[in-house]
DNA sequence: CCCTGGCACTCTGCTTCGGCGAGTGCCAGT
DNA sequence: ACTGGCACTCGCCGAAGCAGAGTGCCAGGG
């Protein structure tokens, strides 16, 4: 059985009211607050159907209806009108983001901005190394058997690692390795580097082979394995709004999940181009986040995506507003990166 | 009036029991659990005095006593015996910290370790730049009017900043500036650099003066102004232990405070050599942390201190244990850094 | 002088119990 | 197909009562 227009309208009203008031909404209150030209009794029948279909439910017999995860899903898919940002919000975004001085700064400002605007927990992934290219590699001798490897990516990210060498190496040799490495790897996509690094080892003279192999293994680690690690988080205090009513009484599991970078990266890192992804309650694979929703999207200069960002909040959240904000911030950040 | 030995013993017993059980402790329970050879009635009299002196109080008339902030203070100052770490803890520390691959890694492992051992929120400051020296400065041309400045400190910290130049500069000139800058600043304490940077500008030839001035200003920012910024945080989920009973019902203010890096740096950054500082409840200047305690200490290779670390928890915490753990972790990290 | 046992008192927390009100489901009527 | 009416169901709230823990004080004993 398909839901007719009015039933959908009723669902929308329920979602909107519940999000606004945080209280189960009854038939009478509904007809008062929204102009749908029917009586409470009619609405009740509609609600009965909606409940049967699994879009709403009653917390207890006889006390208003509350949207289910499926209800929210239907709402965001078919019912929510895009809510344009207020001029104030636009201004806030611009004001917040100008004057950022380096990548760290951009990311930190962004994550705070996002948390503030949405009043939720915000997460911003640093530009993923996998999707960027090498701008420069620097080798700095630290002692005779140790060198510091510094990689600068075109997105502005800088990674460093200490390399332990099996045998002492002269500074001149380091310099030579430095130019060799740069020559081979500069301007290459990080994802493409592994074979090049291997070639680097194969092509080096036998007496320097072991040293180079050592460097190569650290290089690979830095360029590939560790490549998705960094992200920034803000707004955890927002979890406490709604006085523990959201998140079924305990934010413990949520806080735990937020501490696991791996989890967060799963949440905001997997993005298809120019889509905003919304995960509602149960749709999250992570058990700890069963009572939370995540809105995430990718960002990057132009159409390419270099990283993800998003927010996490209670399933009972203002989806249209949040989605609009997340998108807008992502676009601004992308523009900012493009100017670089 | 001074408190005799038994009264102090009673206070200790109250603190220990309250910390363990989280419930107000009465006279009867006290004499049962601790072998102080007197009757409940006597203990009651002592408690009356302790209350008058402000070391304990009753949450409500007629329901056990609870230590006040002053009570905890007296406890940590005069009553707590040092609690040696269990072998298991020692092993945990070592296991956790070996295999750290660079400074970031060390800091992250440390903060997680600390959170896990103390079961509180842990904070670790990155080695303060102000207390370290320059190991190497790198200038990487990004475009003709932009160069990336990378500074490597002897503690392993790496900072980068983008420098916008007023006019295009040839790569060769950049190289020359690079060696000039290194020659002057390498191995200098960061705190000593400002005059040297100024000299660098003054000594440069007129045609390169403005470029150098530009670089210098960013240098100063990087070396001095932004120098204390970085820190790592872990274990926020531990705030939810004790089911919202600690922190007078709302962890909102605490979470808010934890988001302000400035606040955290105040808390753990101000350390005198080889002291462990304990701030209890009201002793915190920050209003939001009036119901929290902070245990912090400095760490560094040998006796010098390069940064601070510590934990934050409810005033009702196991002070002896926490202090011991914080100290031990600080020492291990110091040793780790010294090997570098 | 300090400690002890006893006693009366004061609370809080928990449980029980109605009454109230919101909200529903169903039904008959238009 | 919608509406108004009606009976019913429950959760919430305040009052009342009960039990238990803990206290303060006092008089007696080492």
């Amino acid at each position: 059985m398909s839901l007719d227009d009015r039933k959908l309208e009723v669902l929308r009203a329920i979602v909107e009211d519940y999000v606004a008031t945080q209280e189960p909404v009854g038939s009478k209150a509904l007809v008062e607050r929204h102009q749908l030209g029917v009586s409470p009794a009619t609405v009740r029948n509609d609600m009965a159907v909606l409940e049967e279909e699994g879009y709403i439910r009653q917390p207890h017999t006889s006390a208003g209806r509350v949207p289910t995860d499926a209800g929210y899903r239907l709402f965001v898919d078919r019912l929510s009108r895009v809510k344009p940002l207020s001029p104030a919000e636009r201004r806030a975004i611009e004001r917040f983001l100008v004057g950022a001085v380096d990548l760290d700064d951009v990311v930190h400002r962004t994550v705070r901005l996002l948390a503030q605007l949405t009043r939720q927990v915000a997460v911003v992934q640093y530009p993923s190394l996998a999707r960027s290219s090498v701008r420069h590699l620097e080798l700095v001798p630290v002692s005779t058997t140790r060198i510091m490897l510094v990689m600068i990516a075109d997105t502005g990210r800088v990674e460093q690692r200490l390399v332990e060498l099996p045998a002492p190496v002269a500074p001149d040799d380091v310099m030579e390795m430095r130019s060799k490495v740069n020559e081979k790897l500069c301007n290459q996509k990080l994802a493409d580097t592994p074979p090049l690094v291997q070639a680097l080892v194969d092509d080096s003279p036998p007496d320097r082979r072991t040293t180079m192999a050592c460097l190569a293994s650290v290089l690979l680690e830095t360029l590939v394995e560790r490549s998705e690690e960094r992200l920034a988080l803000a707004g955890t205090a927002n979890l406490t709004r709604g006085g523990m009513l959201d998140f079924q009484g305990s934010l413990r599991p949520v806080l735990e999940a937020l501490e696991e970078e791996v989890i967060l990266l799963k949440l905001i890192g997997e993005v298809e181009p120019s889509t905003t992804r919304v995960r509602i309650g149960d749709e999250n694979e992570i058990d700890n986040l069963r009572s939370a929703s995540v809105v995430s999207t990718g960002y990057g200069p132009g159409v390419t995506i270099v990283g993800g960002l998003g927010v996490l909040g209670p399933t009972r959240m203002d989806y249209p507003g949040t989605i609009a904000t997340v998108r807008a911030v992502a676009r601004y950040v992308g523009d900012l990166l493009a100017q670089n």
Side-chain angles (χ1 to χ4, degrees), chain A:
Chain A
M1 125 144 223
S2 108
L3 302 158
D4 64 33
D5 281 359
R6 199 192 49 223
K7 292 193 182 59
L8 292 176
E9 198 58 37
V10 168
L11 177 56
R12 163 191 285 147
I14 291 176
V15 170
E16 286 176 357
D17 272 27
Y18 181 64
V19 165
T21 66
Q22 171 87 306
E23 271 164 17
V25 16
S27 55
K28 194 175 167 190
L30 256 199
V31 296
E32 277 168 11
R33 300 174 45 121
H34 299 72
Q35 284 78 21
L36 19 88
V38 291
S39 79
T42 311
V43 171
R44 281 206 284 282
N45 289 327
D46 290 351
M47 297 208 290
V49 175
L50 286 169
E51 179 152 19
E52 195 140 340
E53 305 277 322
Y55 295 116
I56 57 179
R57 71 191 169 79
Q58 335 191 32
H60 328 280
T61 314
S62 185
R65 299 310 214 288
V66 163
T68 61
D69 290 349
Y72 286 123
R73 166 56 49 197
L74 187 58
F75 176 79
V76 314
D77 283 351
R78 299 187 42 197
L79 302 176
S80 61
R81 315 143 172 146
V82 249
K83 187 190 283 182
L85 291 204
S86 73
E89 283 173 313
R90 296 195 170 280
R91 253 178 293 125
I93 295 180
E94 285 173 33
R95 194 151 17 98
F96 223 89
L97 257 31
V98 299
V101 82
D102 70 359
L103 184 70
D104 258 343
D105 206 15
V106 170
V107 171
H108 278 113
R109 282 169 190 248
T110 305
V111 75
R112 293 180 85 110
L113 170 70
L114 205 51
Q116 199 170 304
L117 287 178
T118 61
R119 304 179 60 93
Q120 314 279 174
V121 181
V123 190
V124 177
Q125 178 191 11
Y126 276 67
S128 154
L129 289 180
R131 299 199 189 86
S132 41
S133 14
V134 178
R135 177 174 284 155
H136 185 80
L137 286 163
E138 189 59 44
L139 299 180
V140 183
V142 165
S143 71
T144 52
T145 63
R146 278 178 172 159
I147 52 185
M148 170 83 74
L149 163 69
V150 180
M151 187 215 53
I152 305 177
D154 61 348
T155 44
R157 263 186 76 172
V158 178
E159 291 287 314
Q160 78 272 13
R161 276 290 299 278
L162 203 61
V163 187
E164 298 272 355
L165 300 178
V169 173
D172 284 354
D173 290 347
V174 173
M175 279 323 248
E176 201 179 317
M177 280 163 69
R178 170 177 175 273
S179 48
K180 272 262 170 50
V181 167
N182 269 294
E183 185 186 314
K184 275 286 188 189
L185 300 180
C186 260
N187 299 320
Q188 297 292 335
K189 284 263 169 214
L190 260 76
D192 301 337
T193 51
L196 300 174
V197 172
Q198 189 51 47
L200 223 40
V201 177
D202 296 342
D203 294 351
S204 53
D207 58 326
R208 215 179 290 140
R209 181 74 58 94
T210 55
T211 308
M212 187 53 107
C214 199
L215 172 61
S217 89
V218 175
L219 254 173
L220 283 178
E221 259 181 67
T222 311
L223 298 180
V224 185
E225 292 162 27
R226 258 180 104 221
S227 60
E228 303 255 17
E229 260 187 14
R230 286 173 68 68
L231 46 77
L233 189 68
T236 33
N238 288 329
L239 289 176
T240 62
R241 292 187 313 136
M244 322 279 129
L245 294 172
D246 312 318
F247 306 115
Q248 54 201 44
S250 162
L251 25 166
R252 171 116 220 215
V254 181
L255 283 172
E256 277 171 358
L258 290 178
E259 295 226 334
E260 297 295 333
E261 304 209 331
V262 203
I263 292 182
L264 293 180
L265 284 168
K266 267 237 167 62
L267 288 180
I268 63 155
E270 299 170 350
V271 274
E272 304 91 53
S274 71
T275 321
T276 306
R277 182 156 176 191
V278 182
R279 287 191 192 72
I280 299 168
D282 271 338
E283 299 169 9
N284 283 304
E285 295 101 20
I286 321 292
D287 269 359
N288 284 8
L289 299 180
R290 279 294 167 73
S291 53
S293 284
V294 178
V295 177
S296 62
T297 193
Y299 71 87
V303 290
T304 59
I305 290 184
V306 299
L309 57 78
V311 306
L312 178 151
T315 46
R316 173 208 130 277
M317 70 157 71
D318 168 20
Y319 291 97
T322 307
I323 292 172
T325 309
V326 167
R327 278 202 182 131
V329 170
R331 198 170 51 246
Y332 272 88
V333 175
D335 291 353
L336 209 61
L337 251 46
Q339 292 166 25
N340 191 323

